[in-house]
Amino acid sequence: MTALVANLGIGVSKFVAAAVTGSASMLAEGVHSIADSTNQALLLIGGKRARRAASALHPFGYARERYIYAFLVAIILFTLGGLYALYESYHKITHPQELTSPLVAVAVLLIAMALEGYALRTAVGEANRTRGTRSWIAFVRRSRAPELPVILLEDAGALLGLVLALLGVGLSVLTGNGIFDGIATGCIGLLLVSIAIILATEIKSLLIGEAALPEEVAAIHTALLSTPGVDRVIHLRTMHLGPDELLVAAKIAIDAADDGATIAATIDDAEARLRHAQPTAKVVYLEPDIDRQPTPTPTASGLST
């Protein structure tokens, strides 16, 4: 919401400045802000639709809609933001024009940088609650919730784009050559295209279905092994149904002498321990099996094989 409100205000001011100055980089930045505002609206819609209850047609719920809307964000950022800026860049480089009233553009850019900085600061504060000791690159790559990485990359890209626009306007004023404004616009376009490709790649992986984080898998494995009656975990599979919903399927080895009631109690206990260790495990399937590992046999040296 912070990013949405900031970008709407920034976008209007950029378009006004672009109309007054004739700056292509200001126009590209205005389109960039509108694209960002559209993206944040899509993320809000996706979050709301993902909360719908499961149905007969979608028994695992709609949580993955958050990934779909985040993927749409990457497409919009690539087309409406990046490609449009590259088109404007080509036009301004081939037909450079002198800027008028450049101080208006500079004032708008500085105000926009302050607002974008505030929005980025808010996103960083939210991300730090779950980032832990991971680097920012690792956070973006390993996060299973798409909204924060999207907002972080968008806001960071917006700030860098504003710096590029400021450089383009400044150099155009200092040299009297509008080609620098066009070059800055092209740099903004390449920046947006790069961010869109990164987002699309990461979100595509989430749409295909990613496993839980390694530390989460380890916690689940430990919880299962801590259950009395579970000899070992034969295999364990996890997959995110959504950012906060995890599917867990495991085959656990039990004693061949256990009766049905004991096996059922063991499975119930293991599931309770698993859910306590990993609260996002919303769907859990545990299959008991007889432990068929070969019994160790002594060797001539007295060691087991």
Side-chain angles (χ1 to χ4, degrees):
M1 286 302 299
T2 301
L4 175 60
V5 173
N7 277 310
L8 284 173
I10 292 169
V12 172
S13 63
K14 285 176 180 176
F15 279 123
V16 172
V20 172
T21 62
S23 169
S25 59
M26 286 300 300
L27 182 60
E29 275 297 308
V31 174
H32 181 185
S33 292
I34 295 302
D36 283 353
S37 300
T38 304
N39 292 341
Q40 279 120 35
L42 284 172
L43 292 176
L44 289 171
I45 293 170
K48 182 178 180 180
R49 291 180 62 84
R51 290 192 291 270
R52 289 180 294 167
S55 64
L57 184 61
H58 298 281
F60 291 110
Y62 295 84
R64 198 164 284 187
E65 283 216 44
R66 287 169 67 181
Y67 298 150
I68 294 172
Y69 278 84
F71 193 76
L72 290 176
V73 164
I75 294 173
I76 289 173
L77 196 63
F78 182 84
T79 55
L80 184 59
L83 294 185
Y84 180 79
L86 290 174
Y87 165 77
E88 277 296 316
S89 171
Y90 172 78
H91 178 71
K92 284 295 181 179
I93 290 174
T94 54
H95 300 89
Q97 297 176 356
E98 188 176 349
L99 303 183
T100 58
S101 304
L103 290 179
V104 174
V106 172
V108 168
L109 288 170
L110 292 175
I111 294 171
M113 290 173 72
L115 291 173
E116 287 286 5
Y118 176 74
L120 180 60
R121 180 175 176 271
T122 303
V124 167
E126 289 293 324
N128 280 333
R129 296 182 181 181
T130 56
R131 184 169 66 95
T133 58
R134 287 176 287 172
S135 67
W136 287 109
I137 294 176
F139 175 76
V140 169
R141 296 199 63 184
R142 298 179 63 190
S143 177
R144 300 303 189 255
E147 292 85 359
L148 270 177
V150 169
I151 296 297
L152 284 168
L153 285 175
E154 277 189 353
D155 288 348
L159 268 178
L160 185 53
L162 289 167
V163 172
L164 291 171
L166 191 60
L167 285 172
V169 171
L171 288 173
S172 294
V173 172
L174 289 175
T175 63
N177 190 346
I179 196 172
F180 290 104
D181 186 48
I183 293 173
T185 306
C187 292
I188 293 170
L190 291 174
L191 173 67
L192 295 180
V193 167
S194 300
I195 292 174
I197 291 173
I198 292 171
L199 286 177
T201 302
E202 295 300 323
I203 297 169
K204 182 196 72 173
S205 180
L206 292 171
L207 279 170
I208 293 171
E210 287 191 358
L213 295 173
E215 58 267 27
E216 294 173 339
V217 174
I220 292 170
H221 192 273
T222 300
L224 291 174
L225 283 180
S226 70
T227 307
V230 175
D231 295 335
R232 68 186 180 94
V233 177
I234 299 173
H235 67 68
L236 172 63
R237 302 288 186 272
T238 64
M239 185 177 73
H240 271 275
L241 300 173
D244 305 313
E245 296 184 22
L246 193 62
L247 181 149
V248 179
K251 179 177 283 191
I252 54 178
I254 57 172
D255 195 292
D258 289 346
D259 57 24
T262 301
I263 294 171
T266 299
I267 291 175
D268 289 342
D269 187 16
E271 183 175 345
R273 290 169 182 258
L274 186 159
R275 291 184 186 276
H276 178 74
Q278 190 57 46
T280 57
K282 305 297 184 184
V283 182
V284 178
Y285 297 109
L286 299 180
E287 179 186 355
D289 198 2
I290 305 302
D291 193 347
R292 294 185 175 85
Q293 275 193 329
T295 303
T297 54
T299 63
S301 61
L303 299 175
S304 297
T305 59

